Amino acid sequence: MAIQLATAENYEELIKGEFVIVDFFSETCQPCKIFSKVLDEVEYELPFVNIVKVNTTKYPELGKKNKVMAVPTIFFIKDGEMLERHVGALTEEELKAKIGEFLY
């Protein structure tokens, strides 16, 4: 499954999946750009993981609604339930460890 970009209209629908990683980012944030590359890698290696990206520059209301105070903020959601919220970029190894923890 490809990385999906959320809008104010489709956000709720996109996070309904079995297991979803949500990345709140901004276009000007350097750690966000680094983490974006990590997500691309993980998406390539683990194509079954749903990844949703929320651009808080374009959709500040989604950031506000989800109480995102800093970017990147990463949500791990399973069956509509928030498992964990992480502020700051993760390395590829850290992200894969989290995915393993939540999926297995």
Side-chain angles (χ1 to χ4, degrees), residues 22-40:
V22 184
D23 171 32
F24 288 86
F25 73 98
S26 116
E27 294 165 359
T28 55
C29 152
Q30 212 44 50
C32 296
K33 290 175 184 166
I34 294 164
F35 185 61
S36 188
K37 288 186 176 88
V38 169
L39 286 175
D40 289 342

Side-chain angles (χ1 to χ4, degrees), residues 16-70:
K16 278 184 181 158
E18 201 174 297
F19 176 72
V20 186
I21 296 170
V22 184
D23 171 32
F24 288 86
F25 73 98
S26 116
E27 294 165 359
T28 55
C29 152
Q30 212 44 50
C32 296
K33 290 175 184 166
I34 294 164
F35 185 61
S36 188
K37 288 186 176 88
V38 169
L39 286 175
D40 289 342
E41 265 316 296
V42 167
E43 191 256 339
Y44 176 74
E45 289 179 36
L46 307 171
F48 55 87
V49 174
N50 293 317
I51 300 172
V52 174
K53 294 179 64 97
V54 179
N55 184 334
T56 57
T57 310
K58 281 189 185 159
Y59 302 102
E61 67 278 11
L62 286 175
K64 267 196 194 100
K65 185 178 147 204
N66 290 286
K67 298 178 176 62
V68 173
M69 302 299 164

Side-chain angles (χ1 to χ4, degrees), residues 3 11 13-14 17 44 47 63 73:
I3 293 175
Y11 175 76
E13 197 54 45
L14 291 178
Y44 176 74
T73 292

Side-chain angles (χ1 to χ4, degrees), residues 59-100:
Y59 302 102
E61 67 278 11
L62 286 175
K64 267 196 194 100
K65 185 178 147 204
N66 290 286
K67 298 178 176 62
V68 173
M69 302 299 164
V71 286
T73 292
I74 305 140
F75 289 0
F76 295 91
I77 300 172
K78 190 170 187 179
D79 300 321
E81 205 174 300
M82 173 83 73
L83 299 174
E84 188 177 311
R85 170 190 192 109
H86 178 89
V87 178
L90 292 164
T91 66
E92 190 178 333
E93 291 70 32
E94 290 169 329
L95 184 58
K96 284 180 181 170
K98 294 254 182 237
I99 292 168

